[in-house]
Amino acid sequence: MTAGHPPDQVPSTPDRSLNTVDALVQLSFLVQGVLTRVAAAHELSVVQVRLLGILRDRRPGMLELARHLGLDKSSMTGLVSRAEKRGLVSRVPSPHDGRGVLVSLTPAGRELTVEGGAEIERAIGELAEVLTAGERAQLRALAAKLLAGGASDSGG
C-alpha cells in the first residue's frame, strides 16, 4: 500500500500503477510538506497558516473560523490568542452581535500572509513544472471538480 508513505518517502519517480486513492494521498503529502516547510520557516504551524489564509479576504467571527478549520471553541480561542500575541491578527467587537468578535489580519499578519503565500505558490509551482500547460489546466479543472464535490458532500 503506497498511501502510507511519509512525505519524505514518496517515490521520486511517477508510478503509473497508483490507484486514485494512493495518487491523491501522495499528492496531499507533497502539498502538506510544502505547507509544513513554509510554516516552519516562519515559526508557524500548518493550522496557523490556514488561519492566515482564511483571513486574507474576510473578517469572520470565531464560530465561522472554527467551522473552516474544524476546531472546537477552546482550540479556536487558543489559536487566535497565539496569533494575536504575535501581532498577526486582531479581534474587534462584532457590529451585529454584542458578544461576538470578528478576527482580521493586522498589517504584520497581512505582510506575512503575502510573503508566505508567495513562497507556497513558488514551491507548488515547482512541483507542477513537470506538467505541460494543458496538463496544468486539466489538473486545475479536476481539482476544482473534486473540491466542489467535497464541499457539497461535507455540507460546507
Side-chain angles (χ1 to χ4, degrees):
M1 179 175 187
T2 55
H5 283 289
D8 294 348
Q9 295 178 8
V10 173
S12 59
T13 57
D15 182 352
R16 302 271 184 224
S17 66
L18 290 178
N19 67 36
T20 303
V21 171
D22 287 346
L24 288 173
V25 169
Q26 288 188 27
L27 179 59
S28 171
F29 288 162
L30 284 173
V31 172
Q32 287 298 315
V34 168
L35 295 177
T36 300
R37 284 190 301 278
V38 171
H42 295 280
E43 298 179 5
L44 297 169
S45 69
V46 172
V47 175
Q48 289 171 318
V49 167
R50 290 180 61 207
L51 170 68
L52 297 178
I54 291 167
L55 296 176
R56 283 181 303 189
D57 60 358
R58 62 186 79 123
R59 278 186 359 162
M62 294 290 279
L63 287 176
E64 182 182 348
L65 272 175
R67 277 194 304 273
H68 278 297
L69 294 169
L71 297 174
D72 62 35
K73 184 179 175 182
S74 63
S75 297
M76 191 70 246
T77 300
L79 178 67
V80 170
S81 293
R82 286 186 297 279
E84 195 172 37
K85 284 179 186 167
R86 283 193 59 183
L88 303 176
V89 303
S90 63
R91 291 184 248 202
V92 296
S94 170
H96 309 294
D97 177 0
R99 296 176 298 154
V101 296
L102 302 178
V103 182
S104 62
L105 291 173
T106 63
R110 184 155 308 282
E111 183 179 322
L112 179 58
T113 301
V114 169
E115 182 181 330
E119 291 172 29
I120 292 167
E121 187 172 334
R122 213 172 14 259
I124 291 176
E126 289 173 9
L127 292 175
E129 283 179 357
V130 300
L131 302 174
T132 66
E135 288 170 334
R136 286 191 297 273
Q138 187 177 18
L139 177 61
R140 285 191 302 275
L142 291 170
K145 188 173 185 178
L146 286 171
L147 291 168
S152 65
D153 289 346
S154 67

